[in-house]
């Protein structure tokens, strides 16, 4: 399967700060990157989809100005949670895709906002 | 609304038994189906993918797909305590009709294998 890394794996921050999460596709050219989040005891929910070199498409209810996504290359996508609040505490997981298909996930980033 | 439904469990089976996990989906155009295993605090790990009606076997795992009934299942033979995890059923939404080609997940079934 695809080798995907995420950094950081865990982050604790104060309310109001911004957090950047990096997702790298190490052996796979990710023309598409899917960003999911998972709240405790719930399943993964798609937040947004980004295509390399294009603006991201956000799912309903996900604020594009709060969750900034950059997908500047085929191997790197970043998700920035701006002005994070406690309700943004979640498990953020990226999933690289190619040709509109995706199967593999990064190891995830656990965000805790105090 | 495209949905994937799973029994949340917990499903408890003794070691060595067969665990049977079920999933139904609502979108008939779906063509690709996946089972993931997720340990607590970890990211989902792909176990099986299935695209055609019938059975697909890989080691102790067998996935079954019935597109007419919109039903997909996962059997785990000779269950081990290390199989204890949450199993997520996922359905791939083809690009188009509002889909970006992402996966839609069920809420997962928690499996507990007792020694």
């Amino acid at each position: 399967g695809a080798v995907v890394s995420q950094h950081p794996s865990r982050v604790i921050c104060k309310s109001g700060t911004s957090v950047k999460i990096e997702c790298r596709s190490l052996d796979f050219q990710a023309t598409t990157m899917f960003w999911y989040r998972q709240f405790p005891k719930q399943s993964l929910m798609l937040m947004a989809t980004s295509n390399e070199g294009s603006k991201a498409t956000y799912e309903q209810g996900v604020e594009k100005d709060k969750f900034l996504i950059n997908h500047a290359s085929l191997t790197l996508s970043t998700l920035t949670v701006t002005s994070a609040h406690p309700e943004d505490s979640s498990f953020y997981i990226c999933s690289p895709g190619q040709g509109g298909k995706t199967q593999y996930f990064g190891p995830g980033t656990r965000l805790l906002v105090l | 609304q495209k949905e994937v439904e799973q029994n949340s469990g917990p499903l408890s089976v003794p070691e060595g038994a067969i665990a049977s996990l079920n999933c139904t989906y609502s979108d008939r155009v779906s063509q690709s189906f996946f089972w993931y295993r997720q340990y607590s605090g970890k990211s989902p790990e792909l176990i099986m993918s299935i695209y055609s009606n019938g059975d697909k076997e890989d080691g102790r795992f067998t996935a079954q797909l019935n597109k007419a009934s919109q039903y997909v299942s996962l059997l785990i033979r000779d269950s081990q305590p290390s199989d204890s995890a949450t199993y997520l059923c996922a359905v791939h939404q083809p690009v188009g009709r509002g889909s970006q080609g992402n996966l839609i997940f069920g809420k997962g079934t928690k499996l507990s294998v007792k020694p």
Side-chain angles (χ1 to χ4, degrees):
Chain A
V3 180
V4 186
S5 70
Q6 275 185 246
H7 178 81
S9 59
R10 185 183 299 266
V11 58
I12 301 173
C13 68
K14 293 182 179 179
S15 184
T17 60
S18 294
V19 175
K20 179 186 278 190
I21 300 170
E22 288 188 352
C23 175
R24 293 183 184 274
S25 177
L26 301 178
D27 63 346
F28 179 81
Q29 291 197 320
T31 53
T32 304
M33 189 68 76
F34 300 92
W35 284 94
Y36 293 82
R37 65 182 168 185
Q38 185 178 34
F39 292 107
K41 299 192 184 303
Q42 295 189 25
S43 193
L44 280 77
M45 295 297 291
L46 180 69
M47 296 176 64
T49 306
S50 67
N51 293 301
E52 187 254 342
S54 302
K55 288 185 178 180
T57 302
Y58 291 80
E59 295 299 299
Q60 192 172 9
V62 179
E63 298 176 53
K64 63 180 177 66
D65 294 328
K66 182 173 182 63
F67 297 98
L68 303 179
I69 291 175
N70 184 284
H71 190 173
S73 77
L74 292 173
T75 59
L76 173 64
S77 177
T78 61
L79 167 67
T80 301
V81 184
T82 63
S83 187
H85 287 94
E87 58 266 30
D88 299 323
S89 298
S90 189
F91 192 39
Y92 292 85
I93 311 173
C94 65
S95 177
Q98 194 176 67
K101 294 188 176 181
T102 176
Q103 294 181 26
Y104 302 101
F105 291 85
T109 296
R110 189 160 301 281
L111 171 64
L112 177 61
V113 184
L114 302 177
Chain B
Q1 180 75 13
K2 299 164 187 170
E3 293 182 344
V4 178
E5 300 283 347
Q6 291 182 257
N7 187 325
S8 62
L11 173 65
S12 183
V13 300
E15 183 175 357
I18 296 175
S20 178
L21 304 161
N22 304 313
C23 173
T24 58
Y25 59 95
S26 63
D27 192 346
R28 285 191 173 275
V29 303
S30 302
Q31 296 294 319
S32 307
F33 307 87
F34 305 88
W35 282 100
Y36 289 85
R37 177 174 61 197
Q38 187 176 27
Y39 293 111
S40 181
K42 301 294 185 181
S43 186
E45 172 193 6
L46 181 66
I47 298 176
M48 292 279 286
S49 59
I50 187 166
Y51 308 100
S52 304
N53 279 328
D55 295 359
K56 179 181 177 182
E57 187 174 318
D58 184 359
R60 295 187 296 113
F61 299 98
T62 299
Q64 299 172 318
L65 175 61
N66 183 325
K67 291 184 180 180
S69 300
Q70 296 176 238
Y71 174 89
V72 59
S73 66
L74 180 70
L75 299 178
I76 306 175
R77 289 182 298 281
D78 188 23
S79 295
Q80 302 297 308
S82 58
D83 294 327
S84 298
T86 296
Y87 288 80
L88 302 173
C89 172
V91 176
H92 178 246
Q93 300 299 302
V95 176
R97 288 178 44 178
S99 170
Q100 304 295 321
N102 56 286
L103 294 174
I104 294 183
F105 286 85
K107 292 185 176 181
T109 298
K110 188 170 184 178
L111 173 66
S112 177
V113 182
K114 304 293 186 184

